Amino acid sequence: MFIDVHVHPAFYEPINDDPMRENMRHEVLDIHLNGIAKLEHVRNQMRLAGLDKLCLLPQDYLTEEGEVPVTNEEIKKLVDLMPDQFIGFASVDPHDPEAAEKLDRAFGSLGLSGLNLHPGRQRFYPMDECVQPLYDICETYNKPVMFHAGMSWEPHTLAKYGRPIEFEELAETRPGLRFCLGHFAWPWLEEAAMLMVKHKNVYADTAVLYFDCAREFYSRLFTRELEVTWIDRSLRHQVMFGSDNPRFEQIRMAHALEDLGLRGSTVELIKGTNALEFLNGLE
């Protein structure tokens, strides 16, 4: 099983029948060069990368932008079209007075599988009071949280909200809440590793920025900035494959993972086993 835990479906064809919403997404997300992806194209990209499932992440920026670029209902629509391939997450704005109600509906009625939050764009720290009710709901439903951590490529974001050290108290005070530091919290990889080695409820994904070549950048991050043995021995159960598609190329990142020199058993954990435990919890 090969799962990409970090995919943004903002430009998938079934949710882009309104040109005004499509244009809004280009502006709010600052993604301009891609076209609209038919589901046939998505399936083909998955095949070429060897992927079996994608975790689709919506984005709710209601307070800061006055927009919800991808809604929970749109994610549900996509999941219903490809239920064997798509795993849908929810998103709510922690500053929205109706956030808890919306999240409860996303889990209870829509059947979505986790919560996606972007501290740098939604302007909150992980231990702020406004987000605590959302964690309560996630724990009640046994759902994980995906955080955008570290640098963001989206406009009007501040990395300070997503620095790994800001998540330490959350990991300490809510050991039953599984959460992922998206993008391995780049450029703070060592801080992320520090949290992960101490707190087994903290995960990270590989959807990190690369400059010119995914293979070279992965090699630098995961064999030099972090010793390859750190992942292969100590963090192997907490790292998941993620691409941040469509901003980055799934196929290149999947191939780069294979070339890191990790043990085959570690690669299999990163490809899917860890994601299944992140999504469902340990039995």
Side-chain angles (χ1 to χ4, degrees):
M1 180 67 66
F2 194 1
I3 302 172
D4 186 341
V5 299
H6 200 130
V7 175
H8 295 286
F11 300 103
Y12 283 12
E13 184 183 52
I15 60 171
N16 276 283
D17 55 356
D18 182 346
M20 292 185 64
R21 279 190 61 73
E22 179 189 342
N23 290 334
M24 175 272 291
R25 288 168 174 151
H26 284 294
E27 295 302 320
V28 171
L29 303 177
D30 194 23
I31 299 177
H32 299 279
L33 298 180
N34 64 297
I36 297 302
K38 296 179 180 293
L39 291 187
E40 180 182 357
H41 172 74
V42 174
R43 290 189 186 96
N44 190 50
Q45 291 294 101
M46 291 177 66
R47 179 182 61 81
L48 293 173
L51 290 161
D52 299 297
K53 294 180 181 290
L54 310 180
C55 290
L56 306 184
L57 307 181
Q59 293 139 298
D60 185 338
Y61 302 152
L62 188 62
T63 301
E64 289 297 317
E65 300 292 339
E67 302 284 0
V68 181
V70 179
T71 69
N72 299 332
E73 289 74 18
E74 287 171 326
I75 293 293
K76 171 63 172 173
K77 178 179 180 178
L78 292 171
V79 171
D80 286 347
L81 290 171
M82 291 177 56
D84 293 333
Q85 291 81 32
F86 291 164
I87 300 166
F89 271 56
S91 182
V92 296
D93 184 340
H95 299 292
D96 181 355
E98 298 179 1
E101 179 182 344
K102 290 178 179 179
L103 184 59
D104 188 74
R105 177 176 182 272
F107 291 159
S109 299
L110 301 182
L112 298 179
S113 298
L115 172 62
N116 181 49
L117 295 172
H118 193 329
R121 190 69 180 269
Q122 296 169 319
R123 301 298 174 93
F124 72 92
Y125 286 103
M127 285 303 293
D128 282 357
E129 188 60 35
C130 66
V131 76
Q132 297 301 321
L134 305 183
Y135 301 149
D136 292 340
I137 293 170
C138 287
E139 290 190 296
T140 297
Y141 281 93
N142 190 31
K143 304 291 188 182
V145 183
M146 173 69 74
F147 287 105
H148 185 115
M151 174 193 168
S152 174
W153 300 268
E154 294 183 14
H156 316 304
T157 59
L158 296 176
K160 67 177 185 177
Y161 292 102
R163 185 163 184 170
I165 197 66
E166 297 293 343
F167 295 87
E168 184 176 29
E169 189 173 356
L170 177 60
E172 175 68 24
T173 58
R174 291 186 183 261
L177 180 70
R178 305 182 301 283
F179 66 87
C180 176
L181 301 177
H183 312 282
F184 224 109
W186 186 86
W188 295 295
L189 272 71
E190 285 195 359
E191 277 193 17
M194 176 271 291
L195 289 187
M196 293 163 70
V197 79
K198 182 178 179 181
H199 301 284
K200 299 307 179 185
N201 58 321
V202 181
Y203 293 71
D205 73 38
T206 65
V208 291
L209 165 71
Y210 65 85
F211 291 92
D212 297 318
C213 172
R215 181 177 287 105
E216 292 175 1
F217 204 67
Y218 266 35
S219 178
R220 174 181 175 83
L221 297 184
F222 299 124
T223 70
R224 297 199 293 278
E225 292 193 21
L226 294 182
E227 292 289 341
V228 68
T229 54
W230 291 15
I231 293 178
D232 220 1
R233 298 173 185 170
S234 298
L235 305 177
R236 64 198 306 260
H237 292 283
Q238 293 161 268
V239 179
M240 302 181 291
F241 177 80
S243 70
D244 200 28
N245 183 267
R247 197 176 295 272
F248 296 103
E249 176 59 67
Q250 286 172 319
I251 299 169
R252 293 179 183 179
M253 298 173 96
H255 292 167
L257 173 65
E258 297 278 3
D259 292 339
L260 286 175
L262 298 167
R263 285 180 289 170
S265 59
T266 299
V267 172
E268 290 306 309
L269 289 170
I270 294 171
K271 280 185 170 184
T273 305
N274 294 343
L276 293 174
E277 293 183 354
F278 173 71
L279 290 164
N280 302 314
L282 292 170
E283 296 297 334

Short mmCIF file of all heavy atoms in Angstrom, two decimals, residues 137-183:
data_model
loop_
_atom_site.label_atom_id
_atom_site.label_comp_id
_atom_site.label_asym_id
_atom_site.label_seq_id
_atom_site.Cartn_x
_atom_site.Cartn_y
_atom_site.Cartn_z
N ILE A 137 -12.79 17.37 19.73
CA ILE A 137 -13.62 16.64 18.78
C ILE A 137 -12.81 15.56 18.08
O ILE A 137 -13.27 14.43 17.89
CB ILE A 137 -14.24 17.62 17.76
CG1 ILE A 137 -15.23 18.54 18.47
CG2 ILE A 137 -14.93 16.87 16.63
CD1 ILE A 137 -15.72 19.70 17.62
N CYS A 138 -11.57 15.90 17.70
CA CYS A 138 -10.71 14.89 17.05
C CYS A 138 -10.47 13.70 17.97
O CYS A 138 -10.51 12.54 17.53
CB CYS A 138 -9.38 15.52 16.64
SG CYS A 138 -9.49 16.63 15.22
N GLU A 139 -10.25 13.97 19.25
CA GLU A 139 -10.02 12.87 20.19
C GLU A 139 -11.30 12.07 20.39
O GLU A 139 -11.25 10.84 20.52
CB GLU A 139 -9.50 13.43 21.52
CG GLU A 139 -8.07 13.95 21.40
CD GLU A 139 -7.45 14.27 22.74
OE1 GLU A 139 -7.96 15.18 23.43
OE2 GLU A 139 -6.46 13.62 23.11
N THR A 140 -12.44 12.73 20.42
CA THR A 140 -13.71 12.01 20.58
C THR A 140 -13.94 11.05 19.42
O THR A 140 -14.38 9.90 19.61
CB THR A 140 -14.88 13.01 20.67
OG1 THR A 140 -14.72 13.81 21.85
CG2 THR A 140 -16.22 12.29 20.73
N TYR A 141 -13.66 11.50 18.21
CA TYR A 141 -13.86 10.69 17.01
C TYR A 141 -12.64 9.83 16.65
O TYR A 141 -12.68 9.09 15.68
CB TYR A 141 -14.19 11.58 15.82
CG TYR A 141 -15.62 12.06 15.76
CD1 TYR A 141 -15.98 13.29 16.31
CD2 TYR A 141 -16.62 11.31 15.14
CE1 TYR A 141 -17.29 13.76 16.24
CE2 TYR A 141 -17.93 11.77 15.06
CZ TYR A 141 -18.25 12.99 15.61
OH TYR A 141 -19.54 13.46 15.54
N ASN A 142 -11.54 9.96 17.40
CA ASN A 142 -10.29 9.25 17.11
C ASN A 142 -9.78 9.60 15.71
O ASN A 142 -9.41 8.72 14.93
CB ASN A 142 -10.47 7.73 17.25
CG ASN A 142 -9.14 6.99 17.20
OD1 ASN A 142 -8.11 7.50 17.62
ND2 ASN A 142 -9.16 5.77 16.66
N LYS A 143 -9.75 10.90 15.42
CA LYS A 143 -9.28 11.39 14.13
C LYS A 143 -7.95 12.13 14.30
O LYS A 143 -7.76 12.85 15.28
CB LYS A 143 -10.30 12.34 13.49
CG LYS A 143 -11.69 11.74 13.32
CD LYS A 143 -11.73 10.64 12.27
CE LYS A 143 -13.16 10.22 12.00
NZ LYS A 143 -13.25 9.11 11.02
N PRO A 144 -7.03 12.01 13.34
CA PRO A 144 -5.75 12.70 13.42
C PRO A 144 -5.84 14.13 12.90
O PRO A 144 -6.82 14.52 12.25
CB PRO A 144 -4.86 11.85 12.52
CG PRO A 144 -5.79 11.38 11.45
CD PRO A 144 -7.12 11.13 12.16
N VAL A 145 -4.78 14.89 13.15
CA VAL A 145 -4.68 16.27 12.67
C VAL A 145 -3.45 16.40 11.79
O VAL A 145 -2.34 15.98 12.17
CB VAL A 145 -4.58 17.28 13.84
CG1 VAL A 145 -4.56 18.71 13.30
CG2 VAL A 145 -5.73 17.10 14.81
N MET A 146 -3.64 16.99 10.62
CA MET A 146 -2.53 17.37 9.75
C MET A 146 -2.30 18.87 9.89
O MET A 146 -3.21 19.67 9.64
CB MET A 146 -2.86 17.02 8.29
CG MET A 146 -1.85 17.52 7.28
SD MET A 146 -0.25 16.68 7.37
CE MET A 146 -0.70 15.09 6.64
N PHE A 147 -1.10 19.25 10.32
CA PHE A 147 -0.73 20.66 10.43
C PHE A 147 0.22 21.03 9.29
O PHE A 147 1.17 20.29 9.01
CB PHE A 147 0.00 20.94 11.74
CG PHE A 147 -0.84 20.93 12.97
CD1 PHE A 147 -0.77 19.85 13.85
CD2 PHE A 147 -1.68 21.99 13.28
CE1 PHE A 147 -1.52 19.83 15.01
CE2 PHE A 147 -2.44 21.97 14.44
CZ PHE A 147 -2.36 20.89 15.30
N HIS A 148 -0.02 22.18 8.68
CA HIS A 148 1.05 22.74 7.87
C HIS A 148 2.07 23.31 8.85
O HIS A 148 1.75 24.17 9.67
CB HIS A 148 0.54 23.85 6.94
CG HIS A 148 1.61 24.34 6.02
ND1 HIS A 148 1.55 24.17 4.65
CD2 HIS A 148 2.80 24.93 6.27
CE1 HIS A 148 2.65 24.66 4.11
NE2 HIS A 148 3.42 25.13 5.07
N ALA A 149 3.31 22.84 8.78
CA ALA A 149 4.37 23.28 9.68
C ALA A 149 5.55 23.80 8.86
O ALA A 149 5.74 23.42 7.71
CB ALA A 149 4.81 22.14 10.59
N GLY A 150 6.34 24.66 9.48
CA GLY A 150 7.49 25.22 8.79
C GLY A 150 7.09 26.26 7.76
O GLY A 150 6.06 26.93 7.88
N MET A 151 7.91 26.40 6.74
CA MET A 151 7.66 27.39 5.70
C MET A 151 6.41 27.05 4.91
O MET A 151 6.10 25.88 4.68
CB MET A 151 8.85 27.43 4.74
CG MET A 151 8.63 28.33 3.54
SD MET A 151 9.86 28.09 2.25
CE MET A 151 9.10 28.98 0.89
N SER A 152 5.69 28.09 4.48
CA SER A 152 4.56 27.90 3.58
C SER A 152 4.80 28.66 2.29
O SER A 152 5.34 29.77 2.30
CB SER A 152 3.26 28.42 4.22
OG SER A 152 2.19 28.36 3.29
N TRP A 153 4.38 28.05 1.18
CA TRP A 153 4.51 28.70 -0.12
C TRP A 153 3.30 29.58 -0.42
O TRP A 153 3.29 30.31 -1.40
CB TRP A 153 4.67 27.64 -1.22
CG TRP A 153 5.87 26.80 -0.97
CD1 TRP A 153 7.13 27.01 -1.44
CD2 TRP A 153 5.95 25.64 -0.15
NE1 TRP A 153 7.99 26.05 -0.97
CE2 TRP A 153 7.29 25.19 -0.17
CE3 TRP A 153 5.02 24.93 0.62
CZ2 TRP A 153 7.71 24.07 0.53
CZ3 TRP A 153 5.45 23.82 1.32
CH2 TRP A 153 6.79 23.40 1.27
N GLU A 154 2.27 29.50 0.40
CA GLU A 154 1.09 30.31 0.18
C GLU A 154 1.33 31.75 0.62
O GLU A 154 2.14 32.01 1.52
CB GLU A 154 -0.10 29.72 0.94
CG GLU A 154 -0.54 28.37 0.43
CD GLU A 154 -1.77 27.84 1.16
OE1 GLU A 154 -2.41 28.63 1.86
OE2 GLU A 154 -2.06 26.65 1.01
N PRO A 155 0.63 32.71 0.01
CA PRO A 155 0.81 34.12 0.40
C PRO A 155 0.26 34.39 1.78
O PRO A 155 -0.60 33.67 2.29
CB PRO A 155 0.03 34.87 -0.68
CG PRO A 155 -1.00 33.90 -1.17
CD PRO A 155 -0.34 32.55 -1.08
N HIS A 156 0.78 35.46 2.41
CA HIS A 156 0.26 35.97 3.68
C HIS A 156 0.38 34.94 4.80
O HIS A 156 -0.51 34.82 5.65
CB HIS A 156 -1.20 36.42 3.53
CG HIS A 156 -1.47 37.22 2.30
ND1 HIS A 156 -0.78 38.37 2.01
CD2 HIS A 156 -2.34 37.01 1.27
CE1 HIS A 156 -1.21 38.85 0.86
NE2 HIS A 156 -2.15 38.05 0.39
N THR A 157 1.46 34.18 4.80
CA THR A 157 1.69 33.21 5.88
C THR A 157 2.94 33.58 6.65
O THR A 157 3.88 34.16 6.11
CB THR A 157 1.85 31.78 5.32
OG1 THR A 157 2.95 31.76 4.41
CG2 THR A 157 0.60 31.32 4.61
N LEU A 158 2.95 33.22 7.94
CA LEU A 158 4.11 33.45 8.79
C LEU A 158 4.56 32.11 9.37
O LEU A 158 3.79 31.42 10.02
CB LEU A 158 3.75 34.42 9.92
CG LEU A 158 3.36 35.84 9.49
CD1 LEU A 158 2.93 36.67 10.70
CD2 LEU A 158 4.52 36.52 8.76
N ALA A 159 5.83 31.79 9.14
CA ALA A 159 6.35 30.49 9.55
C ALA A 159 6.41 30.34 11.06
O ALA A 159 6.42 29.22 11.57
CB ALA A 159 7.74 30.27 8.96
N LYS A 160 6.43 31.44 11.80
CA LYS A 160 6.60 31.36 13.26
C LYS A 160 5.49 30.54 13.91
O LYS A 160 5.71 29.92 14.95
CB LYS A 160 6.64 32.76 13.87
CG LYS A 160 5.33 33.53 13.77
CD LYS A 160 5.42 34.88 14.48
CE LYS A 160 4.08 35.61 14.50
NZ LYS A 160 4.18 36.88 15.25
N TYR A 161 4.30 30.52 13.33
CA TYR A 161 3.20 29.78 13.92
C TYR A 161 3.39 28.26 13.79
O TYR A 161 2.77 27.50 14.52
CB TYR A 161 1.88 30.16 13.25
CG TYR A 161 1.43 31.57 13.54
CD1 TYR A 161 1.60 32.58 12.60
CD2 TYR A 161 0.81 31.90 14.74
CE1 TYR A 161 1.17 33.87 12.84
CE2 TYR A 161 0.38 33.19 15.00
CZ TYR A 161 0.58 34.17 14.04
OH TYR A 161 0.15 35.45 14.29
N GLY A 162 4.21 27.85 12.82
CA GLY A 162 4.36 26.43 12.55
C GLY A 162 5.73 25.87 12.88
O GLY A 162 6.10 24.81 12.38
N ARG A 163 6.48 26.56 13.72
CA ARG A 163 7.79 26.03 14.13
C ARG A 163 7.56 24.84 15.07
O ARG A 163 6.71 24.89 15.97
CB ARG A 163 8.62 27.10 14.82
CG ARG A 163 10.02 26.64 15.14
CD ARG A 163 10.97 27.77 15.44
NE ARG A 163 12.31 27.23 15.64
CZ ARG A 163 13.40 27.98 15.73
NH1 ARG A 163 13.31 29.30 15.63
NH2 ARG A 163 14.58 27.41 15.91
N PRO A 164 8.30 23.75 14.91
CA PRO A 164 8.02 22.53 15.69
C PRO A 164 7.96 22.74 17.19
O PRO A 164 7.13 22.11 17.86
CB PRO A 164 9.16 21.60 15.29
CG PRO A 164 9.52 22.03 13.91
CD PRO A 164 9.34 23.53 13.89
N ILE A 165 8.81 23.61 17.74
CA ILE A 165 8.82 23.77 19.19
C ILE A 165 7.46 24.25 19.70
O ILE A 165 7.09 23.99 20.85
CB ILE A 165 9.94 24.76 19.61
CG1 ILE A 165 10.24 24.63 21.11
CG2 ILE A 165 9.61 26.17 19.22
CD1 ILE A 165 10.83 23.31 21.51
N GLU A 166 6.68 24.91 18.84
CA GLU A 166 5.36 25.38 19.25
C GLU A 166 4.38 24.22 19.46
O GLU A 166 3.32 24.41 20.07
CB GLU A 166 4.79 26.35 18.20
CG GLU A 166 5.59 27.62 18.02
CD GLU A 166 5.55 28.53 19.24
OE1 GLU A 166 4.66 28.35 20.10
OE2 GLU A 166 6.41 29.42 19.34
N PHE A 167 4.73 23.04 18.97
CA PHE A 167 3.85 21.87 19.09
C PHE A 167 4.23 20.98 20.28
O PHE A 167 3.56 20.00 20.53
CB PHE A 167 3.90 21.04 17.81
CG PHE A 167 3.35 21.74 16.60
CD1 PHE A 167 4.16 22.55 15.82
CD2 PHE A 167 2.02 21.60 16.24
CE1 PHE A 167 3.67 23.21 14.70
CE2 PHE A 167 1.50 22.24 15.13
CZ PHE A 167 2.33 23.06 14.36
N GLU A 168 5.29 21.33 20.99
CA GLU A 168 5.76 20.45 22.06
C GLU A 168 4.73 20.30 23.16
O GLU A 168 4.47 19.18 23.63
CB GLU A 168 7.08 20.98 22.63
CG GLU A 168 7.67 20.06 23.69
CD GLU A 168 9.03 20.53 24.18
OE1 GLU A 168 9.28 21.76 24.16
OE2 GLU A 168 9.84 19.67 24.57
N GLU A 169 4.12 21.39 23.58
CA GLU A 169 3.14 21.31 24.67
C GLU A 169 1.92 20.52 24.22
O GLU A 169 1.31 19.79 25.02
CB GLU A 169 2.75 22.71 25.13
CG GLU A 169 1.91 22.71 26.40
CD GLU A 169 1.65 24.10 26.95
OE1 GLU A 169 2.20 25.08 26.39
OE2 GLU A 169 0.90 24.20 27.94
N LEU A 170 1.53 20.66 22.96
CA LEU A 170 0.41 19.88 22.45
C LEU A 170 0.71 18.39 22.53
O LEU A 170 -0.14 17.60 22.97
CB LEU A 170 0.10 20.29 21.01
CG LEU A 170 -1.02 19.53 20.31
CD1 LEU A 170 -2.34 19.68 21.06
CD2 LEU A 170 -1.15 19.98 18.86
N ALA A 171 1.90 17.99 22.10
CA ALA A 171 2.28 16.58 22.16
C ALA A 171 2.31 16.08 23.59
O ALA A 171 1.93 14.93 23.87
CB ALA A 171 3.64 16.38 21.51
N GLU A 172 2.74 16.94 24.51
CA GLU A 172 2.87 16.56 25.91
C GLU A 172 1.50 16.45 26.60
O GLU A 172 1.27 15.51 27.37
CB GLU A 172 3.73 17.58 26.65
CG GLU A 172 3.85 17.37 28.14
CD GLU A 172 4.64 16.13 28.51
OE1 GLU A 172 5.46 15.68 27.70
OE2 GLU A 172 4.42 15.62 29.63
N THR A 173 0.61 17.38 26.32
CA THR A 173 -0.65 17.44 27.05
C THR A 173 -1.75 16.61 26.42
O THR A 173 -2.75 16.31 27.09
CB THR A 173 -1.13 18.90 27.17
OG1 THR A 173 -1.28 19.46 25.86
CG2 THR A 173 -0.15 19.73 27.97
N ARG A 174 -1.58 16.24 25.15
CA ARG A 174 -2.59 15.41 24.48
C ARG A 174 -1.92 14.20 23.83
O ARG A 174 -1.85 14.10 22.60
CB ARG A 174 -3.36 16.22 23.45
CG ARG A 174 -4.27 17.29 24.04
CD ARG A 174 -5.10 17.94 22.97
NE ARG A 174 -5.95 19.00 23.44
CZ ARG A 174 -7.25 18.88 23.72
NH1 ARG A 174 -7.85 17.72 23.55
NH2 ARG A 174 -7.96 19.94 24.13
N PRO A 175 -1.42 13.27 24.63
CA PRO A 175 -0.70 12.12 24.06
C PRO A 175 -1.59 11.21 23.22
O PRO A 175 -1.07 10.42 22.44
CB PRO A 175 -0.16 11.39 25.30
CG PRO A 175 -1.09 11.79 26.41
CD PRO A 175 -1.46 13.22 26.11
N GLY A 176 -2.91 11.34 23.37
CA GLY A 176 -3.81 10.51 22.57
C GLY A 176 -4.17 11.13 21.23
O GLY A 176 -4.87 10.50 20.44
N LEU A 177 -3.69 12.35 20.98
CA LEU A 177 -3.98 13.03 19.71
C LEU A 177 -2.83 12.80 18.74
O LEU A 177 -1.71 13.26 18.96
CB LEU A 177 -4.17 14.53 19.95
CG LEU A 177 -4.48 15.36 18.71
CD1 LEU A 177 -5.88 15.06 18.18
CD2 LEU A 177 -4.33 16.86 19.00
N ARG A 178 -3.10 12.10 17.65
CA ARG A 178 -2.09 11.89 16.62
C ARG A 178 -2.06 13.11 15.71
O ARG A 178 -3.11 13.56 15.22
CB ARG A 178 -2.40 10.64 15.78
CG ARG A 178 -2.56 9.39 16.61
CD ARG A 178 -2.83 8.16 15.74
NE ARG A 178 -4.02 8.29 14.92
CZ ARG A 178 -5.27 8.16 15.37
NH1 ARG A 178 -5.49 7.91 16.66
NH2 ARG A 178 -6.32 8.27 14.55
N PHE A 179 -0.87 13.67 15.52
CA PHE A 179 -0.79 14.79 14.58
C PHE A 179 0.50 14.73 13.79
O PHE A 179 1.50 14.15 14.21
CB PHE A 179 -0.97 16.14 15.30
CG PHE A 179 0.11 16.53 16.27
CD1 PHE A 179 1.25 17.20 15.84
CD2 PHE A 179 -0.03 16.27 17.63
CE1 PHE A 179 2.23 17.61 16.75
CE2 PHE A 179 0.94 16.65 18.55
CZ PHE A 179 2.08 17.33 18.09
N CYS A 180 0.42 15.33 12.60
CA CYS A 180 1.53 15.30 11.66
C CYS A 180 2.04 16.71 11.41
O CYS A 180 1.24 17.63 11.18
CB CYS A 180 1.08 14.68 10.33
SG CYS A 180 2.36 14.69 9.04
N LEU A 181 3.36 16.87 11.46
CA LEU A 181 4.01 18.11 11.05
C LEU A 181 4.24 18.03 9.55
O LEU A 181 5.18 17.38 9.09
CB LEU A 181 5.32 18.30 11.81
CG LEU A 181 5.21 18.35 13.33
CD1 LEU A 181 6.59 18.47 13.95
CD2 LEU A 181 4.31 19.50 13.78
N GLY A 182 3.34 18.66 8.79
CA GLY A 182 3.48 18.61 7.35
C GLY A 182 4.77 19.24 6.88
O GLY A 182 5.33 20.13 7.54
N HIS A 183 5.29 18.76 5.76
CA HIS A 183 6.52 19.28 5.15
C HIS A 183 7.75 19.04 6.03
O HIS A 183 8.78 19.67 5.84
CB HIS A 183 6.39 20.78 4.86
CG HIS A 183 5.11 21.12 4.16
ND1 HIS A 183 4.92 20.92 2.82
CD2 HIS A 183 3.94 21.63 4.63
CE1 HIS A 183 3.68 21.30 2.49
NE2 HIS A 183 3.08 21.72 3.58
#
